[in-house]
Amino acid sequence: MTQDQTQNASPSDVQRLPYAPSDPDAVPIRAARVTVDAGGDLGVLDRPWASLGYDEINWTYTPQGRRTLQTIGGFAETPYHVRPHNIFNSGTGLGLPHWGSGNVYHEDADGKPFYDFTIADLTYDAIVGSGHHPLVELAFTPLALVPDEAKDEFPFENSPSQYSAYEAGWWSYPPKDYAKWGGLVAALVEHVLERYGVDEVQHWLWELWNEPDISYWRGTPEQFHDLYDVTVKAIRDVYPAAKVGGPAVTGGDKGAVFLHGFLQACADRDLPVDFVSFHTKGSHFTPWRTYGPIGAPAPVKESPSTPKMLREIDRALAVIEQFPQYVGAPVIVDECDASVPAHWGIYDNANFAYRNNEYYPVFQAKLMKKVLDLNAQHTAKVHEATTWSFSMEGERYFEGTRSFVTASGIEKPLMNAYRAFAHLGDRRLAATSDQSADISDISALGNGLPEEVDVIASRNSTNGSVAILVWRHRDDQYAEDPDPTRVDVEVNGLDTGEWTVRHYRIDAGHSNSHTVWQDQGAPQDPTPEQLAAITARQGLEKFADDTQAQVDGGFNLQLELPLPSLSLVVLTKVA
């Protein structure tokens, strides 16, 4: 349930999302110049990419789910916040696409609450055990707290493909007893403090609900404000230092209005908001599902829109800035994704193909840089921009779902964007490109950013290494260019001496398990030998052998970047 404004939402709930159209007349960039000042320290490099989330809470602790979390924990330079849905949903714990259940809340024959933390323990053990911290989304309404009016007014027809009216939408109604809800919240906080200790739980974030501005909340805004009041007090009574926030609204017009009303209500009631959260999505393909022959091409070629996402973030930041008491709180875009929904793929609409290949990791690098650029224009700052990507059980190889891994746990190229991010140091360096897309006037941008070459550069304050992330991208997954772009990279301000130059690459031929699988004939039952060949190429790969360079203040490097691609160059001074 999420996020994706799809399942269980009526057509009126779903906002039409612009997309990036293909422009056959676009002129490719043939040359670009990137300049990095290794002495130009711009301060701490924020790390908005350090978080992930997903609908299917019960896939957290499957073997593939655990391995995915452990893989990210193994290379992550900082602990990620991990945000699954459905901790309070009633159910058996069977994992299904777009659904899950923590099954915590129950009542005895006399209506007295009791709690079962079996699934919660499995979930948070897997997250914490992999080196991450939970962002606890306190949702949705347990079956025993569903109000009677839900059972009267919610339309439902029995179907073998849907369990009951509860799964179909009863969960989205406000709980009928706010005191019992508060007791449930307090019990969860008490339990995790006892199990994990305050040294761990101090890093957790506590958020009420998900996207209450659409049909995931079938109450009024005022009812939501009251529930936030109850929830915050329940948490703080148990753990006064807990970080609480919300309201996790969508990026549409309804979301902006709801966000303003939420912050106003919190200000009026003097309620704490330790972080402010909202969402943005980059595209909604037409139609979402084609129901056509397997492998049919997309009826309309569409691509994710970076400007749409930036406009929605910009608007939400402007709303937050109307409330001085909250403007300094970290902003968490805890669903920040190129397209909806997560659990549909290339067999639903062929436009989801970008999720399998090199387009997606390069898009993510560009998006994170633009988020940092947007922060420079605002007093409210995005602290985390969460990818709603994880792991899907039971899918075919390279199904095209929004996920880090595909069948057999094979890592998709997306994973390597986050490996590349992990190489960036803690201090941001001044870096410019003469071919970067200008976002200073977001209202003037179209549906898609034009082709660009852009850069993020950093220094590691511990060992002095300099990491430079350079990419070439255009908001058009169907754009083709047989010729690479020449990028001249000039690095100034380096200490004199010998430096090791290490060059990583993500493109069609590097760090790309999907290309290997395609070259094998796209088998849906790969042999052990084929699987070994795929996994051998799934990590972040070097573009060339390391070289040594004698530096006297400056260093020059020439890159050849196909469309799309990303290069990570790491310079380390030889001791």
Side-chain angles (χ1 to χ4, degrees):
M1 359 248 50
T2 140
Q3 136 245 20
D4 287 334
Q5 307 174 32
T6 58
Q7 187 165 318
N8 301 321
S10 66
S12 62
D13 292 324
V14 179
Q15 181 190 10
R16 284 292 301 133
L17 307 182
Y19 62 90
S22 177
D23 180 4
D25 299 321
V27 177
I29 296 172
R30 287 287 161 250
R33 185 170 190 82
V34 167
T35 304
V36 177
D37 181 1
D41 190 316
L42 300 181
V44 173
L45 175 59
D46 294 328
R47 317 191 88 76
W49 51 81
S51 59
L52 65 95
Y54 44 93
D55 299 283
E56 301 84 5
I57 191 170
N58 307 107
W59 291 347
T60 305
Y61 47 85
T62 64
Q64 182 166 293
R66 285 179 179 274
R67 284 194 295 269
T68 302
L69 290 171
Q70 290 165 0
T71 295
I72 296 171
F75 65 69
E77 74 283 24
T78 187
Y80 280 36
H81 273 123
V82 179
R83 175 186 184 252
H85 282 335
N86 306 321
I87 186 61
F88 288 160
N89 284 61
S90 301
T92 64
L94 175 65
L96 296 171
H98 212 257
W99 177 255
S101 51
N103 201 45
V104 174
Y105 184 85
H106 306 276
E107 293 183 1
D108 64 18
D110 296 324
K112 182 180 179 180
F114 66 97
Y115 312 105
D116 177 3
F117 295 109
T118 302
I119 292 174
D121 291 346
L122 288 169
T123 300
Y124 299 134
D125 284 357
I127 293 172
V128 173
S130 300
H132 309 296
H133 305 307
L135 188 162
V136 183
E137 178 200 291
L138 299 165
F140 294 94
T141 297
L143 179 58
L145 291 181
V146 171
D148 291 338
E149 61 265 24
K151 303 170 185 180
D152 296 330
E153 69 186 35
F154 189 82
F156 178 77
E157 184 174 337
N158 286 328
S159 165
S161 61
Q162 189 119 275
Y163 281 178
S164 74
Y166 175 71
E167 285 83 3
W170 285 359
W171 51 265
S172 59
Y173 283 81
K176 64 183 180 182
D177 189 322
Y178 278 23
K180 288 183 176 180
W181 171 272
L184 167 61
V185 171
L188 178 62
V189 179
E190 289 173 351
H191 179 77
V192 300
L193 281 170
E194 180 180 351
R195 187 173 184 86
Y196 304 105
V198 70
D199 288 346
E200 167 59 31
V201 178
Q202 66 176 324
H203 301 291
W204 295 26
L205 302 178
W206 302 85
E207 177 183 65
L208 176 62
W209 222 258
N210 177 73
E211 299 188 346
D213 56 305
I214 60 172
S215 61
Y216 301 117
W217 174 258
R218 297 183 187 272
T220 66
E222 291 73 24
Q223 287 175 302
F224 184 83
H225 304 157
D226 290 342
L227 191 64
Y228 184 76
D229 197 333
V230 169
T231 301
V232 167
K233 289 175 180 175
I235 296 170
R236 289 286 182 88
D237 282 349
V238 175
Y239 181 34
K243 299 179 179 68
V244 296
V249 292
T250 68
D253 294 337
K254 289 183 179 179
V257 171
F258 198 103
L259 175 62
H260 186 280
F262 170 78
L263 293 176
Q264 185 65 64
C266 291
D268 291 344
R269 303 183 189 200
D270 195 25
L271 291 175
V273 180
D274 299 312
F275 64 92
V276 183
S277 59
F278 59 86
H279 301 163
T280 182
K281 307 292 177 180
S283 54
H284 160 190
F285 300 140
T286 309
W288 282 17
R289 272 186 166 158
T290 61
Y291 291 99
I294 297 297
V300 179
K301 290 183 176 180
E302 299 172 319
S303 297
S305 169
T306 307
K308 176 193 179 291
M309 302 179 73
L310 297 177
R311 281 191 286 265
E312 291 182 346
I313 295 171
D314 180 70
R315 176 169 57 178
L317 293 177
V319 170
I320 298 167
E321 287 165 349
Q322 297 177 44
F323 298 89
Q325 61 269 65
Y326 302 130
V327 76
V331 174
I332 301 181
V333 191
D334 54 13
E335 293 181 24
C336 186
D337 295 298
S339 67
V340 295
H343 61 300
W344 289 354
I346 58 175
Y347 304 105
D348 300 292
N349 187 313
N351 286 311
F352 289 116
Y354 80 89
R355 294 173 172 177
N356 286 329
N357 59 39
E358 65 277 5
Y359 185 93
Y360 199 14
V362 185
F363 181 95
Q364 287 298 96
K366 176 177 72 172
L367 178 63
M368 295 300 111
K369 164 61 160 53
K370 301 309 179 193
V371 166
L372 294 175
D373 290 346
L374 202 56
N375 275 350
Q377 301 176 24
H378 284 273
T379 52
K381 309 287 187 183
V382 174
H383 182 68
E384 295 179 11
T386 304
T387 179
W388 203 251
S389 304
F390 182 50
S391 167
M392 293 279 174
E393 301 283 343
E395 66 173 17
R396 289 160 284 194
Y397 287 88
F398 295 98
E399 185 91 13
T401 56
R402 201 170 63 225
S403 54
F404 283 104
V405 299
T406 185
S408 297
I410 292 171
E411 298 169 12
K412 294 158 71 172
L414 174 64
M415 186 79 84
N416 290 320
Y418 290 79
R419 282 194 171 95
F421 295 151
H423 281 274
L424 293 173
D426 55 316
R427 307 296 297 182
R428 189 171 183 184
L429 298 178
T432 59
S433 167
D434 65 357
Q435 297 294 336
S436 64
D438 182 11
I439 67 163
S440 58
D441 185 0
I442 295 177
S443 62
L445 298 175
N447 281 338
L449 281 187
E451 183 180 329
E452 72 161 7
V453 173
D454 207 356
V455 58
I456 299 176
S458 68
R459 181 186 288 275
N460 185 311
S461 60
T462 300
N463 64 14
S465 65
V466 173
I468 306 165
L469 206 61
V470 183
W471 58 88
R472 180 187 177 200
H473 194 271
R474 172 178 161 194
D475 275 2
D476 181 1
Q477 65 173 311
Y478 296 100
E480 296 181 355
D481 181 18
D483 299 317
T485 293
R486 189 190 77 249
V487 182
D488 293 311
V489 180
E490 178 182 336
V491 186
N492 299 309
L494 293 172
D495 293 341
T496 299
E498 188 175 12
W499 290 71
T500 299
V501 182
R502 180 164 292 172
H503 183 187
Y504 301 93
R505 170 66 64 83
I506 303 173
D507 61 19
H510 300 85
S511 312
N512 200 322
S513 59
H514 181 249
T515 298
V516 179
W517 177 75
Q518 283 187 314
D519 290 346
Q520 294 174 348
Q524 284 299 340
D525 186 17
T527 66
E529 293 76 18
Q530 288 174 321
L531 283 173
I534 295 169
T535 56
R537 302 292 307 284
Q538 68 183 1
L540 185 63
E541 295 183 320
K542 290 183 183 179
F543 185 70
D545 292 337
D546 294 355
T547 60
Q548 305 297 116
Q550 192 66 37
V551 173
D552 186 9
F555 172 77
N556 292 280
L557 176 69
Q558 188 175 97
L559 306 176
E560 300 286 333
L561 293 182
L563 181 70
S565 63
L566 177 153
S567 273
L568 169 68
V569 178
V570 181
L571 308 175
T572 306
K573 194 162 189 286
V574 177

